[in-house]
Amino acid sequence: MTTVRIPEDWPTTEDQARAVQDELRARVILGEPGPPPGSGRVTGVDVAYDDERDVVAAAAVVLDASSLDVVAEATAVGRVSFPYVPGLLAFREIPTVLAALAALPGPPGLVVCDGYGLAHPRRFGLASHLGVLTGLPTIGVAKNPFTFTYDAPDTPRGSTSALLAGSEEVGRALRTRDGVKPVFVSVGHRVSLPNACAHTLALTPAYRLPETTRRADALCREALREAYSV
């Protein structure tokens, strides 16, 4: 487990954080397809908070994309690096998530975030932020549609509908299980939306949520417990 310090130049105010978003958003790459679904490695990242101690634990779990077997994992624990402000949540997590990724023994391949990319009020959620900072292909797979609207996809697994901000498509609602509530997929960096959905389906052979998210969620919670166990 890696212990993380907040970078000295990390934003401390909402205005500073929004200025960073504005600068980095211009560097998001939307014109690449990304790695082929079901090939190479794919890494899930997730975080867990201890609100009483003001601490966040991050986990990165690398899966073989074809078998979904775990091939590597790493965790990091640090202080929460920004106050809770809707639309700026990435600033609370990024230093610790970056530390977990850096602790992996090899390249992570595609990174899947439990959250949003382009589907964000400022079109720059955690998946986009992380992708720009690392240069890695990233996608966001969220449990709810945030502030966006959508029509329910058809019942069968694999059905999709547009996730909309007004008339702008910012992602897709994707049915990963027959008749089960969809997940909400958005592009982060260097991946097309159709491929982001295809990756999500490849990662959900048995459950609503991707195996990357399920494994990373369990690992970051375990890391948080172990950090303060007596």
Side-chain angles (χ1 to χ4, degrees):
M1 183 186 301
T2 302
T3 302
V4 183
R5 292 185 177 182
I6 301 172
E8 291 184 3
D9 60 350
W10 201 246
T12 58
T13 69
E14 294 181 34
D15 287 345
Q16 289 173 348
R18 291 192 179 98
V20 171
Q21 283 184 331
D22 290 341
E23 177 187 354
L24 296 182
R25 185 173 56 241
R27 293 161 52 186
V28 172
I29 296 172
L30 300 176
E32 293 184 8
S39 66
R41 292 185 172 186
V42 59
T43 296
V45 294
D46 201 4
V47 299
Y49 289 96
D50 184 327
D51 293 327
E52 292 184 0
R53 295 184 173 92
D54 200 31
V55 163
V56 59
V61 180
V62 186
L63 305 184
D64 177 276
S66 60
S67 66
L68 301 186
D69 292 333
V70 175
V71 297
E73 57 186 34
T75 59
V77 174
R79 293 289 176 189
V80 174
S81 50
F82 198 81
Y84 176 83
V85 179
L88 300 177
L89 300 186
F91 291 93
R92 295 167 60 83
E93 304 172 1
I94 284 280
T96 312
V97 172
L98 287 174
L101 286 171
L104 292 171
L110 174 79
V111 177
V112 181
C113 298
D114 178 25
Y116 307 93
L118 190 65
H120 179 271
R122 297 170 61 80
R123 305 299 181 268
F124 197 69
L126 174 64
S128 298
H129 200 149
L130 192 62
V132 168
L133 292 181
T134 63
L136 295 168
T138 57
I139 66 173
V141 182
K143 301 178 183 73
N144 62 68
F146 198 32
T147 60
F148 304 109
T149 61
Y150 69 100
D151 292 330
D154 291 339
T155 300
R157 165 179 160 85
S159 300
T160 66
S161 63
L163 186 64
L164 298 171
S167 60
E168 178 189 1
E169 185 179 39
V170 295
R172 287 184 188 157
L174 171 65
R175 194 87 70 182
T176 56
R177 309 296 300 159
D178 289 353
V180 172
K181 180 183 176 181
V183 295
F184 302 91
V185 181
S186 59
V187 169
H189 184 62
R190 299 181 56 202
V191 183
S192 69
L193 185 53
N195 260 6
C197 291
H199 279 290
T200 304
L201 283 175
L203 292 166
T204 51
Y207 298 96
R208 174 182 175 238
L209 296 179
E211 286 302 301
T212 41
T213 298
R214 286 166 37 79
R215 305 290 180 90
D217 174 75
L219 185 60
C220 67
R221 292 175 187 277
E222 178 184 346
L224 197 60
R225 288 192 299 268
E226 290 181 353
Y228 295 101
S229 61
V230 179

